Amino acid sequence: MDLATLIGLIIGIACILWGMYDGGNPSAFWSLSSLAVTFGGGLASTIIAFTLDDFRNLLKVLPKLFKRKEQSPYKLIQLLVELSQKARREGLLALESNQEEIEDEYLKKALELVVDGVEPEIIRDSMQLELDNMSIRHGKCISIFKTLAAEFPAWGMIGTLLGLINLLRSMDDPSQIGAAMSLALVTTFYGSILANMICVPVATKLQELSTEEIRIKEMIIEGVLSIQAGENPRIMEHRLKTFLSPEQREDYERMIAGGSSFQANRLQ
Amino acid sequence: MDLATLIGLIIGIACILWGMYDGGNPSAFWSLSSLAVTFGGGLASTIIAFTLDDFRNLLKVLPKLFKRKEQSPYKLIQLLVELSQKARREGLLALESNQEEIEDEYLKKALELVVDGVEPEIIRDSMQLELDNMSIRHGKCISIFKTLAAEFPAWGMIGTLLGLINLLRSMDDPSQIGAAMSLALVTTFYGSILANMICVPVATKLQELSTEEIRIKEMIIEGVLSIQAGENPRIMEHRLKTFLSPEQREDYERMIAGGSSFQANRLQ
Amino acid sequence: MDLATLIGLIIGIACILWGMYDGGNPSAFWSLSSLAVTFGGGLASTIIAFTLDDFRNLLKVLPKLFKRKEQSPYKLIQLLVELSQKARREGLLALESNQEEIEDEYLKKALELVVDGVEPEIIRDSMQLELDNMSIRHGKCISIFKTLAAEFPAWGMIGTLLGLINLLRSMDDPSQIGAAMSLALVTTFYGSILANMICVPVATKLQELSTEEIRIKEMIIEGVLSIQAGENPRIMEHRLKTFLSPEQREDYERMIAGGSSFQANRLQ
Amino acid sequence: MDLATLIGLIIGIACILWGMYDGGNPSAFWSLSSLAVTFGGGLASTIIAFTLDDFRNLLKVLPKLFKRKEQSPYKLIQLLVELSQKARREGLLALESNQEEIEDEYLKKALELVVDGVEPEIIRDSMQLELDNMSIRHGKCISIFKTLAAEFPAWGMIGTLLGLINLLRSMDDPSQIGAAMSLALVTTFYGSILANMICVPVATKLQELSTEEIRIKEMIIEGVLSIQAGENPRIMEHRLKTFLSPEQREDYERMIAGGSSFQANRLQ
Amino acid sequence: MDLATLIGLIIGIACILWGMYDGGNPSAFWSLSSLAVTFGGGLASTIIAFTLDDFRNLLKVLPKLFKRKEQSPYKLIQLLVELSQKARREGLLALESNQEEIEDEYLKKALELVVDGVEPEIIRDSMQLELDNMSIRHGKCISIFKTLAAEFPAWGMIGTLLGLINLLRSMDDPSQIGAAMSLALVTTFYGSILANMICVPVATKLQELSTEEIRIKEMIIEGVLSIQAGENPRIMEHRLKTFLSPEQREDYERMIAGGSSFQANRLQ
């Protein structure tokens, strides 16, 4: 799990606990049936909206996205430059020997196509199509979290309505009204927490991670096609560097200047 | 009805029932006139917004979408590869004999055009146009459910306003105020349930099913044009496989390796 | 007025009346000043937002859109096929004799351009431009109804605020508070009804009608250019049929098979 | 100021005054500090969001947009047709003598470029670029009013929160609670009025005026390029007429048929 | 910090203070735990949604955006015209001597490419790619502020729910209910202020600044490619002037006419 997620969760939970204990009555915030209505209802709406396959897929994609070792764009550029230099020195077929060292599946497959002598347009089309389809799959995961983020508060409100309707119908004991209203509000509270602390941020993060992965893959497409076209490695490096922010570019220059050994620079 | 819809509905109804019985007063949630105002009003707004043809169309499309036997993309790819191999061995005209076995209407019509020797651009245009128009028709169904999803809560609120205005005008018997407010809130409750448990999820699901169907049809366009161009079946297979997720691709490889008999692989 | 609009209005009004009479106090829902604030205010905001010409235009467009005899796409296809056959048999100039029988202004003008021997690109550009500009004019009408749909509830809330501020300032007679709050809520009620029963559905319906008309006109562009190019009438028919839904296509086949007399098939 | 704006403002103010006096307590709606919080706060947020230059620009653009003499598209078409006829009779250079009579700056500049013999693509690019940049400048003005329309109600609610927090903290004199809540609600009332009667309609109107101006300028581009290409004036007239609504087209035909004198037809 | 931001902040804070002191009870608005829940919770959600790198990046970008010396488009046009004239007189290589005087990094790099004799399409692609990637980086900063603007009010409401649930559960001392509700509302107040006075305006301003910077960079692309193509400096000036508003154009003409010395006109 990446650090920001962890820090954010800790701060968020601390804030809620502070708010709960500050009022001196933390037990007021616990109610199993409230949790059932809010969480169960929100989940039910989302399950109806998607298929079981989508959820199975989500369970596979989620851990990957959160555990993935971040792909360094610096090392990717360096690797592509090295491959480009090698291809110009020894020919495209020489790239075959590098394939085992490359860990990125997408780059590996693209180089295979290059070594096989497939035409550039077909390589671009095929890689772009794969990118588009990956983006659609990611979009479905994001869409599930967005649906959850909308349904949890809605079911929180439904739970509060349930509580209020019950409460107002039978106001026999006025001393219980306060406690009953308090209980009715707990579902709205659960719905807001589930949406704002889990679903909205996760949906945003998945979107960001997906965008990031697409950009890395676009760099790979640019780089591989440039290698195949036998372009000057420096021109390619210049173009790939435009994907970096000014700060990243300085870091990259520093890394290159640091003369890091060839072995250490392998894309990880 | 697909499994997710069923599971979702059961969980959702269970949650609501729990919430109702938990307060000890389930009869408080039933009111015919409240249901009439919420459901009738929301339906009325939606009927005004569309035409009777749209609703007739919806009644035809809905069962199809929910009952349809899911088209396996694996088998579609396998079928297209077989057709491609046959076309390269025996010529495009040989595909005519396969047409009776193919169950998918869209693929059938496309192959007819190929066998008739129609030019590729015209086939692509015509199939794309059909896809676009199907997407518009699906869009109308989705649009009806989105309108319902917006109108039910709106009419729930109108019903609550009706109840409150009535209640506040004649507060003669203070002991009845609670029950009357409870009744007034029931329409809001109905509106939220109808929107969040039925209309929003169904609209989302229709959107997903439509997207899925469009992707399958796009695979068919790609495949048929590739067959007509006499492309290498392996290149075509490679391209079609980019439509699959990494998991699906592994499943596909396993299925192919399993040497399933020719007859069993027919697209269903 | 089309049937759906009528049915919807009747159901909607019936639901509201039920809700009103159910509380036994229908007079509570009538207040001239509340109506003035909600309707007048919402209208005022919309008048400021547009020009008098836009409203004059709206008054002309509305009855047309609601009274228009629905253009049957079946008969349009049939007519275009007949024209295409005639043009192939007797030449493009022969179409001149048909022009009086054609009632659709847009098709008429397009055929005139064809008979005059104007170049295809100019015909397409000119017809597309007319379509785009019609779509912009329709968009303005839709936009007026969307503004009304947003402003009526906003002014309903303003009216309720007016009532509450007045009420809270002078709470001398506690027995009147209920009635005064009831009155204050009536504007919110009016605003919701005006928006949800009239403006939102009409805006959606105008959008649908406009989309439908644009699709019909796009079929005409496709058809006329195909006639001018001397394309095979069957290919043209095939392409135009993709605009129909599967159900409509069956209806169309049935109509053609029915051998309806030539005169009866004229586009109406 | 155009008539619709004036009528709308009068109706809107009348409605509010009716609502205020109807409750018998118009003084309840006046509070300087409430106005300060709502107006000042909303303005403050908007000032932070933009630069002083944007506001200076707004002050220059606003009066122009509201006072501008509406450009008649009929007369524009007529003028372009006359120019086209003259150019075909006497050559493009003859247009130089007309430049002083033309009041529209944009048309004037375009004709200068034509007379100077600049190439069509460069004229189109340059005029389109000017149009795009004008549209961006207009967009900023619209954006300011949209921000105000969102911030006024937000600050109205902030003001009401301020009042409520104060009120609830010190409920010593129960007889004052009503008046204090009434005062607290006044900011929400101000925020709603400012947004719904001023900012939302003005933003919409600016959008419409900008769209209108862009369409007029697009007609000019079409016309000038057609003149430069030496196109038949009747073809050009036909194309420009597609920018008109059916009603406007009839008016135009009537105006042409009316044989209005040449001098009177000058674009104003 | 630019002037508008400062003025806006002062007006906004003054309005809030007025509102606070007007009620005579400013201490009612201070609560550390309320601030912790609102600010901490909103921040936590945003931290989860992004990565630590994004925040580090934000801290670097923010001061730049607020302190940046505004780039005058007048001087940019003048500089590009001078460079164009020099290039036509002395050849593209002569531009090398100007590079040290140019402060804008983007223009500098573009001129280097021109002097190096790189082909126009590659220059345009490379510069456009850099622009796109810059726009994506800016978009992420804007996105963070938009997330904060949505999360602060959400956590304000969560805080109020926390307070209400606590309050309603233990209503032992009726005299404390007012003060407790007052405290509960303070979080909503904080959330609204943080969103409407800080996050929404900053997000809008970042968007505007980013748009402005992109436009300046687009002018540079246009100018540099025009210089490389050896276009007439006057045509280039005409095209670049379309980026200015009518007012800016007059200012520009005045500046040019003022015969400002060459040295003073350098782009700053």
Side-chain angles (χ1 to χ4, degrees):
Chain A
M1 191 186 277
D2 86 325
L3 202 55
T5 309
L6 205 68
I7 294 175
L9 276 177
I10 291 171
I11 297 179
I13 291 170
C15 289
I16 295 170
L17 289 180
W18 187 353
M20 282 179 177
Y21 281 90
D22 198 54
N25 207 347
S27 72
F29 297 94
W30 175 249
S31 157
L32 186 62
S33 66
S34 299
L35 191 61
V37 170
T38 312
F39 187 79
L43 198 67
S45 293
T46 310
I47 288 175
I48 297 174
F50 295 90
T51 63
L52 292 185
D53 273 0
D54 295 335
F55 283 91
R56 232 175 280 138
N57 186 29
L58 183 72
L59 291 180
K60 276 189 198 148
V61 170
L62 268 191
K64 256 195 233 169
L65 272 170
F66 279 103
K67 269 193 246 153
R68 83 201 179 91
K69 29 185 169 27
E70 182 126 359
Q71 219 174 23
S72 154
Y74 313 142
K75 299 204 168 157
L76 177 59
I77 294 177
Q78 220 178 349
L79 175 67
L80 286 169
V81 169
E82 281 169 21
L83 289 172
S84 172
Q85 287 165 340
K86 188 169 179 189
R88 271 164 69 105
R89 268 198 321 268
E90 310 172 29
L92 287 172
L93 289 179
L95 296 177
E96 205 160 14
S97 61
N98 288 71
Q99 291 195 355
E100 279 142 50
E101 305 168 32
I102 295 167
E103 291 181 29
D104 185 273
E105 279 302 316
Y106 188 73
L107 175 54
K108 213 171 184 167
K109 209 181 316 175
L111 285 178
E112 266 177 54
L113 291 174
V114 167
V115 170
D116 288 358
V118 179
E119 283 168 57
E121 307 90 74
I122 294 182
I123 296 184
R124 181 183 280 281
D125 277 6
S126 159
M127 292 174 81
Q128 189 62 47
L129 200 56
E130 179 150 5
L131 205 51
D132 295 347
N133 285 315
M134 188 192 77
S135 160
I136 290 173
R137 285 195 305 275
H138 286 185
K140 194 163 257 184
C141 293
I142 296 165
S143 179
I144 289 179
F145 273 94
K146 282 195 178 154
T147 305
L148 284 171
E151 288 300 335
F152 282 143
W155 282 86
M157 205 200 69
I158 288 175
T160 298
L161 281 171
L162 274 166
L164 283 180
I165 290 170
N166 248 322
L167 155 71
L168 291 164
R169 176 59 64 103
S170 52
M171 294 195 302
D172 306 325
D173 179 2
S175 72
Q176 287 308 306
I177 293 179
M181 280 198 68
S182 171
L183 192 61
L185 283 177
V186 168
T187 54
T188 297
F189 173 70
Y190 286 165
S192 302
I193 295 286
L194 284 168
N196 287 295
M197 207 164 92
I198 314 281
C199 302
V200 170
V202 168
T204 309
K205 177 152 245 161
L206 288 180
Q207 184 69 65
E208 297 290 331
L209 290 174
S210 172
T211 308
E212 188 67 17
E213 199 169 339
I214 285 167
R215 275 166 59 80
I216 290 279
K217 289 203 170 6
E218 278 174 351
M219 285 172 75
I220 291 176
I221 295 180
E222 286 288 327
V224 167
L225 289 176
S226 166
I227 289 171
Q228 191 182 32
E231 226 178 54
N232 187 332
R234 299 228 65 82
I235 299 260
M236 181 183 86
E237 190 184 16
H238 176 82
R239 195 151 64 219
L240 292 180
K241 270 160 62 184
T242 59
F243 281 91
L244 304 177
S245 70
E247 286 76 30
Q248 287 180 312
R249 242 170 277 171
E250 284 171 29
D251 285 2
Y252 175 74
E253 306 291 0
R254 222 173 297 129
M255 193 187 76
I256 293 292
S260 46
S261 77
F262 186 88
Q263 213 56 19
N265 288 335
R266 280 277 167 275
L267 178 73
Q268 283 169 339
Chain B
M1 189 186 276
D2 85 325
L3 202 55
T5 310
L6 205 68
I7 295 175
L9 276 177
I10 291 170
I11 298 179
I13 291 171
C15 288
I16 295 169
L17 289 180
W18 187 351
M20 282 180 178
Y21 281 90
D22 199 55
N25 206 348
S27 72
F29 297 94
W30 175 250
S31 157
L32 186 63
S33 67
S34 299
L35 191 61
V37 170
T38 312
F39 187 79
L43 198 67
S45 294
T46 311
I47 288 175
I48 297 175
F50 295 90
T51 63
L52 292 185
D53 273 359
D54 295 336
F55 282 92
R56 233 175 279 139
N57 185 29
L58 183 72
L59 291 180
K60 276 190 199 147
V61 170
L62 269 190
K64 256 195 233 169
L65 272 169
F66 279 103
K67 269 194 245 151
R68 81 197 183 95
K69 30 185 169 26
E70 181 125 2
Q71 219 174 26
S72 154
Y74 313 142
K75 298 204 169 157
L76 177 60
I77 294 178
Q78 218 178 350
L79 176 66
L80 286 168
V81 169
E82 280 169 22
L83 290 172
S84 172
Q85 287 165 340
K86 185 166 181 189
R88 272 164 69 105
R89 269 198 321 269
E90 310 171 27
L92 288 172
L93 289 179
L95 296 176
E96 205 161 13
S97 61
N98 289 72
Q99 291 194 358
E100 279 142 50
E101 305 167 32
I102 296 167
E103 292 180 28
D104 186 274
E105 279 302 315
Y106 188 73
L107 175 55
K108 213 169 184 169
K109 210 181 315 173
L111 285 178
E112 268 177 53
L113 291 174
V114 168
V115 170
D116 288 359
V118 179
E119 282 169 59
E121 308 90 73
I122 294 182
I123 296 184
R124 180 184 281 282
D125 277 8
S126 158
M127 293 174 80
Q128 189 61 49
L129 200 56
E130 178 151 6
L131 206 51
D132 295 347
N133 285 315
M134 188 192 76
S135 160
I136 290 173
R137 286 194 305 275
H138 286 185
K140 195 163 258 183
C141 293
I142 296 165
S143 180
I144 289 179
F145 273 93
K146 282 195 177 152
T147 305
L148 284 171
E151 287 300 334
F152 282 142
W155 281 86
M157 206 201 69
I158 288 176
T160 298
L161 281 171
L162 274 166
L164 282 180
I165 291 170
N166 248 322
L167 155 72
L168 291 164
R169 177 59 64 102
S170 53
M171 294 194 302
D172 306 325
D173 179 2
S175 73
Q176 287 307 306
I177 294 179
M181 280 198 69
S182 171
L183 192 61
L185 283 177
V186 168
T187 54
T188 298
F189 173 69
Y190 285 166
S192 302
I193 294 285
L194 285 169
N196 288 295
M197 208 166 90
I198 313 281
C199 302
V200 171
V202 168
T204 310
K205 178 151 243 159
L206 289 180
Q207 183 70 66
E208 298 290 330
L209 290 174
S210 171
T211 308
E212 188 67 18
E213 200 170 339
I214 285 167
R215 275 166 59 80
I216 290 279
K217 289 204 171 4
E218 278 174 350
M219 285 171 76
I220 291 176
I221 296 180
E222 287 289 328
V224 167
L225 290 175
S226 166
I227 289 171
Q228 191 182 32
E231 227 178 54
N232 186 332
R234 299 229 65 82
I235 299 259
M236 182 183 86
E237 190 184 16
H238 176 82
R239 195 150 65 218
L240 292 181
K241 270 160 62 185
T242 58
F243 281 91
L244 304 176
S245 70
E247 286 76 30
Q248 287 180 313
R249 242 170 276 171
E250 284 170 29
D251 286 0
Y252 176 73
E253 305 291 0
R254 223 173 295 130
M255 194 187 74
I256 294 291
S260 45
S261 77
F262 186 87
Q263 213 57 17
N265 288 334
R266 281 278 168 274
L267 178 74
Q268 285 167 338
Chain C
M1 190 185 275
D2 85 325
L3 202 55
T5 309
L6 205 70
I7 294 175
L9 276 177
I10 291 171
I11 297 179
I13 291 170
C15 289
I16 295 170
L17 289 180
W18 188 352
M20 282 180 176
Y21 280 90
D22 199 54
N25 206 349
S27 72
F29 297 94
W30 174 250
S31 156
L32 186 62
S33 67
S34 299
L35 191 61
V37 170
T38 312
F39 188 78
L43 197 69
S45 293
T46 311
I47 288 175
I48 298 175
F50 295 90
T51 63
L52 292 185
D53 273 359
D54 294 336
F55 282 92
R56 234 176 278 139
N57 185 30
L58 182 72
L59 291 181
K60 276 190 201 148
V61 170
L62 269 191
K64 257 195 233 170
L65 272 169
F66 280 103
K67 270 195 245 149
R68 78 195 185 98
K69 30 186 168 26
E70 183 125 0
Q71 220 174 24
S72 155
Y74 312 142
K75 299 204 169 159
L76 177 60
I77 295 178
Q78 219 178 348
L79 176 67
L80 286 168
V81 170
E82 281 168 22
L83 291 172
S84 173
Q85 288 165 339
K86 187 169 181 188
R88 271 166 68 107
R89 270 199 319 269
E90 310 171 27
L92 288 172
L93 290 179
L95 297 177
E96 206 160 14
S97 60
N98 289 72
Q99 290 194 358
E100 279 143 50
E101 305 167 30
I102 295 168
E103 291 181 28
D104 185 274
E105 279 301 316
Y106 188 73
L107 175 55
K108 212 169 184 170
K109 210 183 312 174
L111 285 178
E112 267 178 53
L113 291 174
V114 168
V115 170
D116 288 0
V118 179
E119 282 169 58
E121 308 89 74
I122 294 182
I123 296 184
R124 181 184 279 281
D125 278 7
S126 159
M127 292 175 80
Q128 189 62 50
L129 200 56
E130 178 150 4
L131 206 51
D132 295 347
N133 285 315
M134 188 192 76
S135 158
I136 291 173
R137 286 194 306 274
H138 287 186
K140 195 163 258 182
C141 293
I142 295 165
S143 179
I144 288 178
F145 273 93
K146 282 196 178 150
T147 305
L148 284 172
E151 287 300 336
F152 281 143
W155 282 85
M157 205 201 69
I158 289 176
T160 298
L161 281 171
L162 274 166
L164 283 180
I165 292 171
N166 248 323
L167 155 72
L168 291 164
R169 176 58 64 101
S170 53
M171 295 195 301
D172 306 327
D173 180 1
S175 73
Q176 287 307 306
I177 294 180
M181 280 198 68
S182 170
L183 192 61
L185 283 177
V186 167
T187 54
T188 298
F189 174 69
Y190 285 166
S192 302
I193 294 285
L194 284 170
N196 287 296
M197 208 166 90
I198 313 280
C199 301
V200 170
V202 168
T204 309
K205 176 151 246 160
L206 289 180
Q207 184 69 66
E208 298 290 330
L209 290 175
S210 172
T211 308
E212 188 67 17
E213 200 169 340
I214 285 167
R215 274 167 59 80
I216 290 279
K217 288 202 170 8
E218 278 173 351
M219 285 171 75
I220 291 177
I221 296 181
E222 287 288 327
V224 166
L225 290 175
S226 167
I227 289 171
Q228 191 182 32
E231 228 177 52
N232 186 332
R234 298 229 65 83
I235 300 260
M236 182 183 86
E237 189 184 15
H238 176 82
R239 195 151 64 219
L240 292 181
K241 269 160 62 184
T242 59
F243 281 91
L244 303 177
S245 70
E247 286 76 31
Q248 287 180 311
R249 242 170 277 171
E250 284 170 29
D251 286 359
Y252 176 73
E253 305 291 1
R254 223 174 297 131
M255 194 185 77
I256 294 292
S260 45
S261 76
F262 186 87
Q263 212 58 17
N265 288 335
R266 281 278 168 275
L267 178 75
Q268 287 166 336
Chain D
M1 190 186 276
D2 86 324
L3 202 56
T5 309
L6 205 69
I7 294 175
L9 276 177
I10 291 171
I11 297 179
I13 292 171
C15 288
I16 295 170
L17 288 181
W18 188 353
M20 281 180 177
Y21 280 90
D22 198 54
N25 206 348
S27 72
F29 296 95
W30 175 249
S31 157
L32 186 62
S33 67
S34 299
L35 191 60
V37 170
T38 312
F39 188 78
L43 197 67
S45 293
T46 311
I47 288 174
I48 298 174
F50 295 90
T51 63
L52 292 185
D53 273 0
D54 294 336
F55 282 92
R56 232 175 279 137
N57 185 28
L58 183 72
L59 291 181
K60 276 189 201 149
V61 169
L62 268 192
K64 256 195 233 169
L65 272 170
F66 280 103
K67 269 194 246 149
R68 78 195 185 96
K69 32 184 169 22
E70 182 124 359
Q71 220 174 24
S72 155
Y74 312 142
K75 298 204 169 158
L76 176 60
I77 295 177
Q78 219 178 348
L79 176 67
L80 286 168
V81 170
E82 281 169 21
L83 291 171
S84 172
Q85 287 164 340
K86 187 170 180 187
R88 272 166 66 107
R89 268 198 321 269
E90 311 172 26
L92 287 172
L93 290 179
L95 297 177
E96 207 161 14
S97 61
N98 289 71
Q99 291 195 356
E100 279 143 50
E101 304 167 31
I102 295 168
E103 290 181 29
D104 186 273
E105 279 300 316
Y106 189 73
L107 176 55
K108 213 171 183 169
K109 210 182 314 174
L111 285 178
E112 268 178 52
L113 291 174
V114 168
V115 169
D116 288 359
V118 179
E119 282 169 58
E121 307 89 75
I122 295 183
I123 296 184
R124 179 183 280 282
D125 278 7
S126 159
M127 292 174 81
Q128 189 62 48
L129 199 57
E130 178 150 4
L131 205 51
D132 295 347
N133 285 314
M134 187 192 77
S135 159
I136 290 173
R137 286 195 305 274
H138 286 184
K140 195 164 257 183
C141 292
I142 295 165
S143 180
I144 289 179
F145 272 93
K146 282 197 177 149
T147 305
L148 284 172
E151 287 300 335
F152 281 142
W155 281 85
M157 205 200 68
I158 289 176
T160 298
L161 281 171
L162 274 165
L164 283 180
I165 292 170
N166 248 324
L167 155 72
L168 292 164
R169 177 58 65 101
S170 53
M171 294 194 301
D172 306 327
D173 180 1
S175 72
Q176 287 307 305
I177 294 179
M181 280 198 67
S182 171
L183 192 61
L185 283 177
V186 167
T187 53
T188 298
F189 173 70
Y190 285 166
S192 301
I193 294 285
L194 284 169
N196 287 296
M197 208 165 91
I198 314 280
C199 302
V200 170
V202 168
T204 309
K205 177 151 245 160
L206 289 179
Q207 184 69 65
E208 297 291 330
L209 290 174
S210 172
T211 308
E212 188 67 17
E213 199 169 339
I214 285 167
R215 275 166 58 81
I216 290 279
K217 289 201 170 11
E218 278 173 352
M219 285 172 75
I220 291 176
I221 296 181
E222 286 290 326
V224 166
L225 289 176
S226 166
I227 288 171
Q228 191 182 32
E231 227 178 52
N232 186 331
R234 299 229 64 82
I235 299 259
M236 182 183 86
E237 190 184 15
H238 177 82
R239 195 150 65 218
L240 291 181
K241 269 159 62 184
T242 60
F243 281 90
L244 304 177
S245 70
E247 286 75 32
Q248 287 180 312
R249 242 170 277 170
E250 284 169 30
D251 286 1
Y252 176 74
E253 304 292 359
R254 222 173 297 131
M255 194 186 77
I256 294 291
S260 45
S261 77
F262 186 88
Q263 213 57 17
N265 288 335
R266 280 276 167 275
L267 178 74
Q268 285 168 338
Chain E
M1 190 186 277
D2 86 325
L3 203 55
T5 309
L6 205 69
I7 294 174
L9 276 177
I10 291 171
I11 296 178
I13 292 170
C15 288
I16 295 170
L17 289 180
W18 188 353
M20 282 180 177
Y21 281 89
D22 198 53
N25 207 348
S27 72
F29 296 94
W30 174 248
S31 157
L32 186 62
S33 67
S34 299
L35 190 60
V37 170
T38 312
F39 187 78
L43 197 68
S45 292
T46 310
I47 289 175
I48 297 175
F50 296 89
T51 63
L52 292 185
D53 273 0
D54 295 335
F55 283 92
R56 232 175 279 137
N57 186 28
L58 183 72
L59 291 180
K60 274 188 201 150
V61 170
L62 267 191
K64 255 196 233 168
L65 272 170
F66 280 102
K67 270 194 244 149
R68 82 199 181 92
K69 30 183 170 25
E70 181 125 1
Q71 221 175 22
S72 155
Y74 313 141
K75 299 204 169 158
L76 177 60
I77 294 178
Q78 221 179 348
L79 175 67
L80 286 168
V81 170
E82 281 169 20
L83 290 172
S84 172
Q85 287 164 340
K86 187 169 180 188
R88 272 166 68 107
R89 269 198 321 269
E90 310 172 28
L92 287 172
L93 289 179
L95 297 177
E96 205 160 15
S97 61
N98 289 72
Q99 291 195 356
E100 280 143 50
E101 304 167 32
I102 295 168
E103 291 181 28
D104 185 274
E105 279 301 315
Y106 188 73
L107 174 54
K108 212 170 186 169
K109 209 181 316 173
L111 285 177
E112 268 178 53
L113 291 174
V114 168
V115 170
D116 287 0
V118 179
E119 283 169 57
E121 308 89 75
I122 294 181
I123 296 185
R124 180 182 281 279
D125 277 6
S126 159
M127 291 174 82
Q128 188 62 48
L129 199 56
E130 179 150 4
L131 205 51
D132 294 347
N133 285 314
M134 188 192 77
S135 159
I136 290 173
R137 287 194 305 274
H138 286 185
K140 194 163 257 184
C141 293
I142 296 164
S143 180
I144 289 179
F145 272 94
K146 281 196 178 151
T147 305
L148 284 171
E151 288 300 334
F152 281 144
W155 282 85
M157 205 200 68
I158 289 175
T160 299
L161 281 171
L162 274 165
L164 283 180
I165 291 170
N166 248 323
L167 155 71
L168 291 165
R169 177 58 66 100
S170 52
M171 295 195 301
D172 307 326
D173 179 0
S175 72
Q176 286 308 305
I177 293 179
M181 281 198 68
S182 171
L183 192 61
L185 283 177
V186 167
T187 53
T188 297
F189 173 69
Y190 286 165
S192 301
I193 294 286
L194 285 169
N196 287 295
M197 207 165 91
I198 314 281
C199 301
V200 171
V202 168
T204 309
K205 177 152 244 160
L206 288 180
Q207 184 68 67
E208 297 290 331
L209 291 174
S210 172
T211 307
E212 188 67 18
E213 199 168 340
I214 285 166
R215 275 166 59 80
I216 290 278
K217 290 204 169 8
E218 279 174 351
M219 284 172 75
I220 291 176
I221 296 180
E222 286 289 326
V224 166
L225 289 176
S226 167
I227 289 171
Q228 190 182 33
E231 227 177 54
N232 186 331
R234 300 228 64 83
I235 298 260
M236 181 183 87
E237 190 184 16
H238 176 83
R239 195 150 65 220
L240 292 180
K241 270 160 62 185
T242 59
F243 282 91
L244 304 177
S245 70
E247 285 76 31
Q248 287 180 312
R249 243 169 276 170
E250 284 171 29
D251 286 1
Y252 176 74
E253 305 293 0
R254 221 173 298 129
M255 193 186 78
I256 294 291
S260 45
S261 77
F262 185 88
Q263 214 55 20
N265 288 334
R266 280 277 167 274
L267 177 74
Q268 284 169 339

